Amino acid sequence: MGAALPEATGQNSEVYVLVRQASGGEFLLDTLDDAGTPIAEPLRLSPAAFSSFVSSVEPSSAAPRWVWEDTAHVYPALLAGGIRVQRCHDLRLCHVILKNSALTATTDLALAAPGRWDLASSTVNDLAEPRATLFDFDATSTDDGADESALREFRRQLEAVASAAEPGRLRLLLAAESAGALIAAEMRYAGLPWRTDVHDLLLTRELGTRVAPGVRPEQLEGLAQRIRFELDDAALNPDSPQDLFKALQRAGLAVTSTRGWELKKLQHPVIEPLLQYKKLSRLLSANGWAWMESWVVDGRFHPDYVPGGVVTGRWATRGGGALQLPRQIRGAVVADDGWKLVVADAAQLEPRILAALAQDPSMARAGRGTDLYAGIVSSGVVETRDHAKVAMLGAMYGATTGESGRLMPRLARAYPLAIALTESAARAGERGEVVTTRLGRSSPTPPPGWHETQARAYDPAATGTDERRARSQARDWGRFTRNFIVQGSAAEWALCWMAEIRRELTALTRADVPPAAAGEYAAPAAASGPPGARAPFDSAPHLVFFLHDEVIVHTPAVHADAVAHIITTAADTAGRLLFGDFPVDFMLTVATVDNYAEAK
């Protein structure tokens, strides 16, 4: 088998190439159809030959879907060689979904005893450089005879999907999850453009001149002195929650914690400097000079994302705080000379997802072409936008007291289908049942202790305390499942959104695509890459940042308008993939800027 791959003959006409590592560092490549049946003789390739093979087949429109154990381990080495792939199937990520989905609960994969595929999907790579070797991504499955081989696992996954009641949902979810793994690896490799000189200036403006580790910068020390003065405690360490808690109580403040949300409710001269101290202290510890030196390399911040790291399918990070970049330092995210940042975020994403999930036409209509909360107000449901936001958050997160509780009946009358959906999910959780997102990710069952508490409440000898504890735990789990379906489905929309953006950005500048195939935006000749940029991203627009409902694309300025168009169109496409022709708008705010701070 050379650069040309045989065609599959199955229902989906899909060609898969399963990549495994053989003993001695060579790679075994099995070309399979969509039933996992071999359609060519296996290949055994050296690492260099493997890279050459991938490079030779990827430009083709018939490029296969690469199947491997863990994208985070194998893909960085290909990227380091300037090689991108169009599609993959990440066995570990897909295993987690299929193992726990209610749609595949009766399959062999779901019923099997826990094995190595149930372990954590990957380990932390070196923070400064992507992995430059392919030798250890699949160390436990060495040859065809290895226990629970990758081939066997892949076939079990195909069988689990095929036997599901709605296999199309799961196929889309697995493809989106795997695309997310590719995107995460690419964003980490390419990096977010970052100016350390600007970062230093921003920190100095907020904190004062840089000082030695362990010493408070000027602004923090000044605030610490004010806190000590207001609390009449010259020895107080405001970084110690225990000492601070005692000092607040000695000052006559009825606090139960030192959390900011509780302090904001109090009236005392110490509150203002204390809240400011907390804010600046977080900046110093999370994104101060030490962070800058650890995470910014050659003018790039390399975020270490963990796709599917949260049980709802949201991403997490292993370090660097990519999901929590504070506004004070966003001005350090600066496009390279001749480049732009196209920043887009989806407005009121979760409420719009709820409207589509519930197929609630009234709620969808309230957000059509406008701010959803403003649309709720104009529909006469509540008086102000703040009321609309509070009520909607209460519906999705289960708030039943205060302003949210007061407004919920109005929301239920106006949007009965949407509210009924969240209430149904909450009741399921209270009974210990699972709920499932639009594409098929299911919530976990409550832990054994939860069931024990519920059973104890029904014991004839149960006390009032037992009953109250059981009700409280049931309500807590109900709030979790209430939000799970919304947040999880929103995460699926975001994955489809990013996958579509990535696909269209690739088509925009792919050399073998005629200009007409990219719409009205034709790619100019490639330019030399800016300092800090890495092939294959040194001259092409590419995703560099993701935060739940927000993306940033770093692009040559000549492509900026095309990129903005791609991002907007991709949001519509993601909506259709998940919800068909249901008329819900996914509104975006899109800004083309020179630095991230200008987008807000």
Side-chain angles (χ1 to χ4, degrees):
M1 180 173 61
L5 291 169
E7 295 183 358
T9 57
Q11 179 181 356
N12 298 319
S13 298
E14 182 100 65
V15 173
Y16 297 92
V17 174
L18 175 66
V19 180
R20 295 177 290 161
Q21 190 167 18
S23 56
E26 292 184 316
F27 289 90
L28 295 175
L29 273 61
D30 297 284
T31 304
L32 312 167
D33 65 13
D34 52 21
T37 303
I39 55 176
E41 290 298 318
L43 288 180
R44 183 181 288 263
L45 302 174
S46 68
F50 169 65
S51 295
S52 296
F53 177 75
V54 176
S55 179
S56 68
V57 300
E58 265 303 315
S60 167
S61 59
R65 189 180 297 274
W66 304 96
V67 182
W68 44 53
E69 181 170 326
D70 191 341
T71 302
H73 278 177
V74 62
Y75 193 37
L78 293 173
L79 290 171
I83 303 168
R84 295 180 71 195
V85 304
Q86 297 175 46
R87 304 176 302 166
C88 81
H89 181 99
D90 188 300
L91 288 170
R92 284 200 183 275
L93 288 174
C94 294
H95 176 90
V96 172
I97 292 171
L98 296 173
K99 181 77 171 180
N100 299 300
S101 176
L103 303 182
T104 54
T106 61
T107 64
D108 290 343
L109 186 150
L111 297 174
R116 71 179 185 86
W117 293 99
D118 298 292
L119 300 176
S121 63
S122 57
T123 57
V124 180
N125 293 341
D126 180 82
L127 299 180
E129 291 293 330
R131 187 182 299 274
T133 176
L134 294 174
F135 285 87
D136 55 0
F137 83 95
D138 191 14
T140 55
S141 58
T142 55
D143 272 310
D144 291 327
D147 182 51
E148 199 173 5
S149 69
L151 179 57
R152 184 178 301 119
E153 171 63 20
F154 181 50
R155 286 173 173 164
R156 288 203 309 177
Q157 291 188 14
L158 291 175
E159 290 167 0
V161 172
S163 64
E166 298 181 69
R169 292 167 60 186
L170 283 171
R171 287 194 184 99
L172 178 56
L173 176 55
L174 301 186
E177 188 87 340
S178 298
L182 293 175
I183 293 166
E186 290 174 356
M187 288 195 293
R188 185 176 189 273
Y189 174 78
L192 181 66
W194 200 281
R195 289 275 299 275
T196 54
D197 57 334
V198 175
H199 191 170
D200 179 69
L201 289 173
L202 294 172
L203 291 175
T204 301
R205 185 181 67 189
E206 294 283 342
L207 301 169
T209 304
R210 184 176 185 176
V211 293
V215 178
R216 289 191 185 95
E218 178 184 358
Q219 295 292 345
L220 275 177
E221 183 57 34
L223 289 167
Q225 293 177 11
R226 286 182 60 192
I227 293 167
R228 296 185 188 113
F229 173 80
E230 297 295 351
L231 294 177
D232 194 22
D233 187 342
L236 174 64
N237 175 13
D239 295 315
S240 169
Q242 296 82 7
D243 292 351
L244 181 60
F245 180 77
K246 293 176 182 177
L248 290 169
Q249 287 194 323
R250 285 196 300 269
L253 294 171
V255 295
T256 58
S257 75
T258 61
R259 296 180 182 274
W261 63 266
E262 182 172 351
L263 296 175
K264 290 178 181 179
K265 300 176 183 178
L266 304 176
Q267 296 293 325
H268 190 280
V270 77
I271 300 302
E272 184 273 328
L274 182 53
L275 291 174
Q276 183 65 8
Y277 183 92
K278 284 178 167 290
K279 179 180 179 181
L280 294 183
S281 181
R282 282 195 299 271
L283 174 63
L284 177 62
S285 62
N287 298 99
W289 289 282
W291 178 92
M292 181 176 69
E293 290 181 347
S294 298
W295 285 93
V296 181
V297 179
D298 295 332
R300 293 291 190 272
F301 165 44
H302 298 276
D304 202 7
Y305 291 108
V306 183
V310 178
V311 68
T312 59
R314 275 190 167 189
W315 286 14
T317 62
R318 271 185 291 259
L323 301 177
Q324 303 176 37
L325 292 183
R327 294 184 183 276
Q328 298 107 305
I329 62 165
R330 290 182 180 179
V333 182
V334 181
D336 293 323
D337 290 343
W339 289 58
K340 293 288 184 180
L341 301 174
V342 182
V343 183
D345 66 271
Q348 306 96 40
L349 176 59
E350 289 191 358
R352 294 175 190 274
I353 289 290
L354 173 57
L357 276 173
Q359 301 282 286
D360 192 317
S362 298
M363 189 169 166
R365 191 159 48 246
R368 191 156 305 140
T370 187
D371 178 288
L372 175 61
Y373 299 137
I376 292 174
V377 173
S378 65
S379 299
V381 180
V382 294
E383 290 78 20
T384 68
R385 187 182 186 279
D386 285 344
H387 283 169
K389 185 174 182 179
V390 167
M392 190 58 66
L393 290 176
M396 294 187 297
Y397 289 89
T400 58
T401 60
E403 191 74 348
S404 180
R406 182 181 71 83
L407 296 170
M408 270 295 294
R410 300 191 195 180
L411 212 61
R413 287 193 296 271
Y415 312 120
L417 296 179
I419 303 306
L421 180 66
T422 59
E423 292 298 318
S424 175
R427 301 294 86 78
E430 291 170 3
R431 294 189 297 269
E433 300 169 1
V434 303
V435 295
T436 301
T437 61
R438 175 63 177 173
L439 295 184
R441 192 188 304 268
S442 294
S443 64
T445 56
W450 186 93
H451 291 286
E452 292 170 5
T453 299
Q454 299 303 307
R456 194 177 303 122
Y458 288 95
D459 190 286
T463 65
T465 299
D466 292 332
E467 293 173 354
R468 286 191 295 273
R469 183 180 296 115
R471 284 195 297 270
S472 176
Q473 287 192 1
R475 285 194 298 268
D476 288 345
W477 201 260
R479 280 192 288 270
F480 164 67
T481 52
R482 172 194 296 271
N483 183 245
F484 183 95
I485 56 170
V486 179
Q487 187 180 111
S489 298
E492 292 166 354
W493 179 91
L495 282 173
C496 291
W497 182 37
M498 284 199 297
E500 184 68 12
I501 291 170
R502 176 182 184 265
R503 188 180 70 84
E504 289 298 318
L505 290 179
T506 302
L508 179 66
T509 54
R510 198 169 60 210
D512 63 343
V513 175
E520 59 184 294
Y521 306 106
S528 59
R534 296 177 173 189
F537 304 106
D538 53 0
S539 61
H542 53 282
L543 285 156
V544 290
F545 187 68
F546 170 58
L547 178 61
H548 302 318
D549 56 5
E550 181 177 355
V551 297
I552 301 178
V553 172
H554 192 213
T555 178
V558 69
H559 289 309
D561 289 344
V563 169
H565 176 77
I566 285 171
I567 290 173
T568 302
T569 303
D572 295 334
T573 301
R576 289 194 300 273
L577 284 171
L578 265 70
F579 305 112
D581 59 0
F582 182 75
V584 62
D585 288 352
F586 290 98
M587 302 287 292
L588 300 183
T589 299
V590 183
T592 299
V593 296
D594 293 313
N595 75 74
Y596 189 17
E598 294 174 351
K600 299 295 180 180

